[in-house]
Amino acid sequence: MELPTPESIKKRRIKLGLTQASLAEKANVSQPLIARIESGDVDPRLSTLRSILTALDEMERCKVTAKDLMTSPVIAVTSSDTVDNAVKLMEKHGFSQLPVIDGGVPVGSISENSVVQAMGTEDFARVSASQVRALMEESFPAVSPGTDMGTVSHLLETYHAVLVMELGKAVGVITKYDVMRLLNK
């Protein structure tokens, strides 16, 4: 059995997005001990090392990724679809925004906000018949299926949604609602 090095413990902790204090709490040891172990100042007892490794293993198993959060398949419109069609899709699926995808490539997004704003300045029939490209906003950011929840949550602070892309294809969408659903699990 090969024992982990102080560097490998620190690397695993950082990869999981854990602070020394949070790892210490999960392993039932003190934060200063974690700091001393990671710096190589102290050689921990085997039982302490086992507690730390068990905590790291458990956190790796519990790690939530974009693939775990996403809604699939992706419901999208093209830039040449009518706004009326986009609104009907949003109503049907209970979404407040949709990605705009042309030929498999994300080119923008359309939201309830952009439609409502346009209706304040344009005739309803004109807005309804116009193409999505006329009201299109910037595209949602894209992540890979293995992206951690912390990164996705950070993106959702700024954007309506996040696209999950795999091999150049949109395979899922994540919204704030998808992240909040974790509270019910």
Side-chain angles (χ1 to χ4, degrees):
M1 175 178 146
E2 190 173 315
L3 294 176
T5 64
E7 296 82 23
S8 68
I9 292 171
K10 182 176 182 177
K11 193 177 202 177
R12 282 181 71 187
R13 176 184 60 77
I14 291 170
K15 184 177 179 186
L16 288 167
L18 297 172
T19 63
Q20 289 179 342
S22 60
L23 175 57
E25 183 180 330
K26 292 182 186 324
N28 292 318
V29 298
S30 69
Q31 181 274 324
L33 180 59
I34 297 288
R36 291 186 68 202
I37 291 169
E38 287 183 354
S39 68
D41 287 349
V42 66
D43 286 329
R45 292 184 298 166
L46 187 55
S47 60
T48 302
L49 191 56
R50 182 177 293 126
S51 293
I52 293 168
L53 295 177
T54 299
L56 288 169
D57 289 343
E58 183 178 309
M59 291 305 297
E60 284 173 343
R61 281 192 301 274
C62 295
K63 187 176 177 187
V64 177
T65 64
K67 186 174 185 169
D68 301 322
L69 295 168
M70 72 184 192
T71 299
S72 187
V74 176
I75 307 298
V77 292
T78 66
S79 62
S80 60
D81 281 338
T82 64
V83 171
D84 183 57
N85 182 48
V87 169
K88 285 178 181 172
L89 273 175
M90 284 190 256
E91 286 177 352
K92 178 180 177 182
H93 296 284
F95 298 152
S96 58
Q97 64 276 323
L98 292 171
V100 180
I101 300 177
D102 287 344
V105 178
V107 295
S109 64
I110 186 165
S111 69
E112 290 175 340
N113 289 344
S114 61
V115 173
V116 169
Q117 286 174 353
M119 289 173 59
T121 60
E122 295 273 340
D123 175 69
F124 171 73
R126 181 175 286 154
V127 171
S128 182
S130 66
Q131 292 183 331
V132 166
R133 73 173 44 93
L135 303 182
M136 197 165 68
E137 301 171 77
E138 68 180 315
S139 186
F140 302 138
V143 298
S144 68
T147 302
D148 65 274
M149 186 179 81
T151 301
V152 172
S153 294
H154 181 70
L155 289 169
L156 287 172
E157 291 174 13
T158 306
Y159 298 95
H160 294 295
V162 174
L163 280 175
V164 181
M165 303 287 291
E166 188 169 40
L167 302 172
K169 182 180 180 209
V171 295
V173 162
I174 304 170
T175 64
K176 293 172 186 168
Y177 175 76
D178 296 313
V179 174
M180 292 188 317
R181 282 188 317 183
L182 290 175
L183 295 175
N184 293 330
K185 290 187 178 186

